[in-house]
Amino acid sequence: MTQPRSRPAKLSGGERLLFLTDDQLRQGVELMFFAYRDMVADADRVLAERGYGRAHHRCLHFIWRRPGLSVAELLDILSVTKQSLNRVLRQLVRDGLVESRVGQADRRQRLLRLTPRGEDLVRDLANAQNARMRRVFLEAGPEAVHGFKTVLAGMIDEGRRAAVLDLVEDRFPEGGKR
Amino acid sequence: MTQPRSRPAKLSGGERLLFLTDDQLRQGVELMFFAYRDMVADADRVLAERGYGRAHHRCLHFIWRRPGLSVAELLDILSVTKQSLNRVLRQLVRDGLVESRVGQADRRQRLLRLTPRGEDLVRDLANAQNARMRRVFLEAGPEAVHGFKTVLAGMIDEGRRAAVLDLVEDRFPEGGKR
DNA sequence: CATTTTAAGTCAGGCTTGTTGACATTCCAA
DNA sequence: TTGGAATGTCAACAAGCCTGACTTAAAATG
């Protein structure tokens, strides 16, 4: 930091590791900040119309992805405290977007699923957010998208990475759970 | 740069547009969520030791990047309200991490720069965050990193993209401003 | 010069989303 | 049967964002 950014020409043939300078890393971090901010803004607009926030979005999204999951499983995905999740979940149940059933096998559990109205909102949110992604993916091309995903996957904490990728890529190693 | 770089094969076959399915878009969004969350956690740990939050980090970071910028310019980069920024900025000035000087050309302005102690904290924060980026970039390789950046850049709101990329890539088109 | 506009800062109050702590319920295993 | 673990709820608080309504100072404008 505070070093002169030397910039010796472009990536020339045998030039390796030039993409690992502090400057390159900083650019990666800054791009994550700006891109993430603008990405979530799309969904925020839809949420604001209905008086919800990002916490509600995340909650709805992962219930949609794994219908019938327990509160504990959702807690694990979101990495928040159960008290924090519960406030949000209570609103969604009260408003009829999420249904909470007592588990049959273990009656301590509450198993969550979307109601039809919940599915409607999730669809609206996905449409808002996917529009940006679709345009960008199309412009950038499959090569770039592949690199994008590779880097993002690598940024996930090592200990959780496998489980998160199972979720994202729709593999369900513990799938018989409900 | 935004051109699809014509490297055939290498990906999952010769199929076209398969990377634009709703499922692929969803994966992109989810990966952004998980990767961003884990990335900022690195800096959060350093911040928590000193009693600061992410708002302080962003503030310090962009003052470091553009020493001598005005409050209005910082406001524009961060896209928050001045009340919100001011609370944070006041703490940083009080704690001696940021210096606020009256502008010479326009004495209404307050021009911001880091003190040596501010630079120390920025360095610590950058080290914490860069460690993850460096490992990931190294593992993923320059091709993937290029794709990563291309996609992120495309996700920035079109109206602001050019200005943001000037900032990120260290070009200063409006650089004579102070 | 008088007026208007701009830059910055402040006070008051509200919302979302995160936190801890205390507690009730349910299940299971010693 | 009893104690511990898992699950969920209630209450209180903090961070960090927001809006709205000002004030002060300086610059720009007519």
Side-chain angles (χ1 to χ4, degrees):
Chain A
M1 128 179 4
T2 327
Q3 284 135 356
R5 329 200 163 68
S6 35
R7 276 198 196 266
K10 273 284 184 180
L11 283 182
S12 53
E15 201 44 89
R16 277 267 156 298
L17 303 183
L18 211 58
F19 72 109
L20 283 175
T21 60
D22 280 0
D23 228 46
Q24 293 287 314
L25 303 175
R26 175 191 55 72
Q27 289 183 20
V29 173
E30 290 183 358
L31 285 171
M32 281 292 285
F33 167 65
F34 290 113
Y36 188 81
R37 186 180 65 181
D38 289 352
M39 184 188 84
V40 296
D42 292 336
D44 282 350
R45 280 182 282 273
V46 175
L47 292 162
E49 291 170 10
R50 323 232 187 170
Y52 293 124
R54 290 177 195 176
H56 302 87
H57 184 183
R58 293 196 283 270
C59 204
L60 289 167
H61 178 89
F62 289 108
I63 293 173
W64 167 65
R65 292 275 294 124
R66 303 284 304 261
L69 89 176
S70 69
V71 172
E73 287 170 322
L74 185 52
L75 238 27
D76 185 56
I77 292 171
L78 297 177
S79 293
V80 294
T81 59
K82 63 184 169 176
Q83 295 89 331
S84 191
L85 174 61
N86 214 263
R87 183 181 338 99
V88 169
L89 211 42
R90 196 163 27 193
Q91 293 174 284
L92 294 173
V93 170
R94 158 175 58 73
D95 297 350
L97 302 185
V98 167
E99 195 185 43
S100 167
R101 295 182 196 165
V102 172
Q104 310 122 306
D106 184 338
R107 301 198 344 194
R108 290 171 300 182
Q109 294 183 328
R110 299 292 180 278
L111 305 186
L112 307 169
R113 38 179 42 84
L114 297 184
T115 66
R117 291 190 48 216
E119 288 180 349
D120 287 347
L121 179 50
V122 166
R123 191 178 323 110
D124 289 349
L125 289 165
N127 286 338
Q129 216 155 36
N130 285 356
R132 178 183 303 255
M133 257 324 162
R134 187 176 294 110
R135 176 188 56 71
V136 175
F137 277 18
L138 184 59
E139 288 170 3
E143 237 5 88
V145 169
H146 184 265
F148 168 71
K149 290 188 176 180
T150 300
V151 172
L152 289 182
M155 287 174 62
I156 297 169
D157 282 348
E158 179 128 32
R160 314 192 49 199
R161 192 177 308 152
V164 169
L165 291 181
D166 282 342
L167 173 62
V168 170
E169 293 173 16
D170 236 341
R171 296 185 296 260
F172 297 86
E174 4 106 64
K177 247 194 192 155
R178 109 188 32 62
Chain B
M1 165 174 303
T2 335
Q3 264 37 306
R5 342 224 319 312
S6 55
R7 288 226 310 144
K10 167 74 172 176
L11 261 194
S12 40
E15 79 286 347
R16 302 214 118 23
L17 301 182
L18 213 58
F19 71 109
L20 284 174
T21 61
D22 280 0
D23 228 45
Q24 292 287 316
L25 303 175
R26 175 189 55 71
Q27 288 184 19
V29 173
E30 289 182 0
L31 284 171
M32 280 292 285
F33 166 64
F34 290 112
Y36 188 81
R37 186 180 64 182
D38 289 351
M39 183 188 83
V40 296
D42 293 335
D44 282 349
R45 280 182 282 273
V46 176
L47 291 162
E49 289 170 10
R50 322 232 187 170
Y52 293 124
R54 292 178 194 177
H56 303 88
H57 185 182
R58 293 194 284 271
C59 206
L60 288 167
H61 178 89
F62 289 108
I63 294 173
W64 166 64
R65 291 276 292 127
R66 300 286 301 264
L69 52 33
S70 68
V71 173
E73 287 169 324
L74 185 53
L75 241 24
D76 184 56
I77 291 170
L78 297 176
S79 294
V80 294
T81 59
K82 66 178 170 181
Q83 294 91 327
S84 195
L85 174 60
N86 216 265
R87 177 176 3 90
V88 169
L89 210 43
R90 197 161 33 195
Q91 293 174 282
L92 294 173
V93 170
R94 157 175 58 75
D95 297 350
L97 303 185
V98 167
E99 193 185 43
S100 167
R101 294 182 195 165
V102 171
Q104 314 114 299
D106 184 338
R107 303 199 342 192
R108 291 171 303 182
Q109 293 183 330
R110 297 295 179 280
L111 305 186
L112 307 169
R113 38 180 40 85
L114 297 184
T115 65
R117 291 190 48 215
E119 286 181 351
D120 287 346
L121 179 49
V122 166
R123 188 180 326 106
D124 289 350
L125 289 165
N127 285 339
Q129 215 154 38
N130 285 356
R132 180 183 300 257
M133 262 315 168
R134 185 177 296 109
R135 177 188 54 73
V136 176
F137 277 17
L138 183 62
E139 288 171 2
E143 279 299 316
V145 170
H146 184 266
F148 169 71
K149 291 188 174 179
T150 300
V151 171
L152 288 182
M155 287 174 63
I156 296 169
D157 282 347
E158 179 131 32
R160 313 192 50 199
R161 191 176 310 153
V164 169
L165 291 181
D166 282 342
L167 172 62
V168 170
E169 293 173 16
D170 238 343
R171 296 184 296 258
F172 297 89
E174 6 104 62
K177 246 191 193 161
R178 63 205 80 6

